[in-house]
Amino acid sequence: MSNNASNNLQDLQYFGEYGGVNPSISDSSTYTFISAKTMFDTFEGNTEGCYLYSRHSSPSNLYLGEALAAIEGTETANVTASGMGAITAVILQLCDTADHIVSSRTIYGGTYAFMKNFLKKFGITTSFIDITDIDAVEKAITPKTKMIYCESVSNPLLEVADIEALSKLARKHGIPLVVDNTFSPLTIAPAKLGADIVIHSLTKFINGTSDCVAGVVCGTKDFCLALKDVNSGAGMLLGSTLDSLRASSILKNMRTLHIRMQKHSENAKYLAEKFEEDGLRVVYPGLKSHSGHETLKKQMNSKYGFGGLLTLDVGSLENANALMEMIQDQKLGYLAVSLGFYKTLFSAPGTSTSSEIPMEEQIEMGLGDGLIRFSIGLDNDIKRTYEMMKACMLQLNILKKKTITA
């Protein structure tokens, strides 16, 4: 699949208040009006180019929203103070008491906890399904189902959703398809494949510098305006507002997103191929052994590769912890949650980012305690990185010398 996301972003051009090449940062929480009538119209959402209060909207947030809508190919976008701020607002906007959600079984632990534990306060239930089994997804839909929810590439097992097939299913039943595209910006364009709403944690690849927390909802103008409605908008009333300074810094970092995604993917593919040759159980969508390899190939923009995430199974939590500590000591990355940083980040998801998922469910979905999730960085000499990681595995007897490729 091809799209012009990077060109769309490149073509956005803003001038700062004094002619700066970056748009001026709106450093105000509230805005003045010459006319009381204009204030009223702005409060009612009937004016463009006017601002009332930064929880409603601000110039800096609108600039960032326009850039995100440009790369996802949606009409508009609302930015939020976190990825969970985006996810929870969308779910609560679409669902009422006693409604039902069909969700992928492998999703970010925070999303899972919100759906399973928090939404029950409102009588909202969720069926967690193998999202790659379209028949199972359809069987889970009931008259009360208000959305299908998935991640393009799932956290942490890297299952690949067939977004076109899910979109057709959603349209058949008259419900929206909501896709979290955090793991695959530019690589996958869910809205082009039929998704109704696209979510990102901007904290990750899109920002790329691990110095802020933010999120976005990309969709139609009608839906994004509904989220900001002062009387009934979940985005408005839950108050997950992104600070203008952070919006400005994320917008600047987005200018290098296309270059960064290419390098993240190039490096991850190299390591995945090498470690698979060495006999490790590697999960990476760019490998032919991955169950979703062909699904991703048919819907991806090949220019940006198969993504920067891979998992290794090193047999036990003891091995995983020892390897992660040793790799960190070798300055190859950080034992830390999250992803998309310029340095490699790694964690054992069963005891970190997916710890909200009960152990019996982790086992059922294949999330073993020896699994390590790697967000591969922008290393200039990835062969050196491989050799150093391999040496750590040999020292810990995770790899045996006779199994190593030349």
Side-chain angles (χ1 to χ4, degrees):
M1 177 186 174
S2 64
N3 64 73
N4 296 317
S6 58
N7 288 345
N8 294 341
L9 183 61
Q10 175 73 27
D11 291 344
L12 285 177
Q13 190 163 304
Y14 307 108
F15 294 99
E17 186 178 359
Y18 301 104
V21 294
N22 289 308
S24 300
I25 300 170
S26 174
D27 193 25
S28 294
S29 60
T30 191
Y31 299 84
T32 190
F33 293 86
I34 303 300
S35 158
K37 174 67 165 57
T38 306
M39 176 184 276
F40 173 79
D41 288 341
T42 302
F43 193 88
E44 293 295 307
N46 297 325
T47 58
E48 290 187 10
C50 295
Y51 303 92
L52 180 75
Y53 185 55
S54 284
R55 184 162 61 85
H56 297 205
S57 185
S58 72
S60 297
N61 284 5
L62 284 176
Y63 288 139
L64 178 59
E66 287 179 358
L68 290 158
I71 69 167
E72 286 297 350
T74 59
E75 290 180 352
T76 190
N78 292 350
V79 295
T80 62
S82 69
M84 283 303 297
I87 291 164
T88 55
V90 167
I91 292 171
L92 291 176
Q93 191 70 25
L94 293 174
C95 295
D96 291 322
T97 301
D99 282 342
H100 174 250
I101 299 166
V102 173
S103 171
S104 172
R105 62 179 182 168
T106 59
I107 51 174
Y108 171 55
T111 311
Y112 176 93
F114 181 75
M115 289 179 174
K116 183 162 187 177
N117 303 329
F118 194 87
L119 289 179
K120 66 183 180 182
K121 296 180 180 182
F122 309 104
I124 300 170
T125 58
T126 304
S127 296
F128 295 98
I129 305 297
D130 179 354
I131 207 70
T132 66
D133 185 342
I134 300 299
D135 290 337
V137 174
E138 181 158 30
K139 287 176 183 176
I141 296 172
T142 76
K144 283 285 188 179
T145 303
K146 289 298 188 290
M147 74 168 83
I148 299 173
Y149 182 95
C150 70
E151 296 171 347
S152 301
V153 179
S154 75
N155 186 358
L157 297 181
L158 309 182
E159 293 179 341
V160 179
D162 187 334
I163 297 170
E164 285 185 307
L166 290 167
S167 172
K168 290 176 184 176
L169 182 61
R171 285 198 299 272
K172 175 181 174 182
H173 290 271
I175 55 178
L177 173 63
V178 180
V179 178
D180 182 337
N181 199 35
T182 297
F183 275 27
S184 44
L186 297 182
T187 295
I188 300 176
K192 300 285 189 182
L193 296 166
D196 299 282
I197 299 164
V198 182
I199 294 168
H200 281 274
S201 169
L202 303 180
T203 312
K204 314 301 194 303
F205 284 115
I206 286 180
N207 183 53
T209 49
S210 288
D211 59 358
C212 79
V213 175
V216 68
V217 179
C218 304
T220 64
K221 289 181 179 178
D222 286 346
F223 182 73
C224 289
L225 282 173
L227 279 174
K228 294 195 290 187
D229 187 279
V230 296
N231 296 305
S232 60
M236 174 68 68
L237 299 175
L238 292 173
S240 181
T241 306
L242 182 61
D243 178 77
S244 292
L245 290 168
R246 283 306 185 192
S248 176
S249 69
I250 295 167
L251 179 60
K252 283 180 276 194
N253 288 344
M254 282 184 67
R255 303 304 185 186
T256 61
L257 178 62
H258 60 296
I259 300 169
R260 290 186 282 110
M261 289 311 301
Q262 288 171 342
K263 191 63 175 176
H264 283 302
S265 294
E266 175 189 314
N267 285 351
K269 188 170 187 288
Y270 180 90
L271 291 178
E273 290 173 344
K274 285 292 187 181
F275 286 128
E276 186 174 61
E277 289 172 9
D278 291 335
L280 286 172
R281 190 168 77 84
V282 186
V283 176
Y284 181 67
L287 297 174
K288 292 181 180 178
S289 59
H290 190 284
S291 60
H293 178 70
E294 293 301 323
T295 301
L296 185 51
K297 277 181 68 176
K298 76 176 183 179
Q299 63 186 2
M300 69 185 285
N301 185 334
S302 59
K303 184 188 303 182
Y304 302 107
F306 291 89
L309 275 293
L310 64 86
T311 68
L312 297 178
D313 191 337
V314 295
S316 69
L317 183 59
E318 181 182 9
N319 281 349
N321 289 341
L323 178 61
M324 291 188 293
E325 290 170 6
M326 185 175 289
I327 291 173
Q328 181 168 253
D329 288 342
Q330 293 296 312
K331 299 181 175 58
L332 292 174
Y334 296 106
L335 203 176
V337 298
S338 200
L339 51 121
F341 193 40
Y342 82 98
K343 289 278 281 187
T344 295
L345 303 178
F346 37 85
S347 62
T351 56
S352 58
T353 55
S354 296
S355 60
E356 297 93 338
I357 301 174
M359 184 55 66
E360 62 272 15
E361 293 184 34
Q362 291 188 29
I363 293 170
E364 183 181 343
M365 66 177 63
L367 208 169
D369 61 6
L371 195 74
I372 304 174
R373 187 191 75 183
F374 288 87
S375 169
I376 305 302
L378 302 174
D379 306 33
N380 185 54
D381 187 350
I382 196 63
K383 182 178 180 182
R384 170 180 176 268
T385 300
Y386 165 68
E387 295 292 345
M388 292 176 71
M389 289 178 69
K390 181 178 70 175
C392 293
M393 293 181 195
L394 284 167
Q395 188 173 335
L396 294 169
N397 291 314
I398 292 168
L399 284 175
K400 310 297 182 183
K401 287 187 178 179
K402 63 181 180 179
T403 69
I404 297 299
T405 55

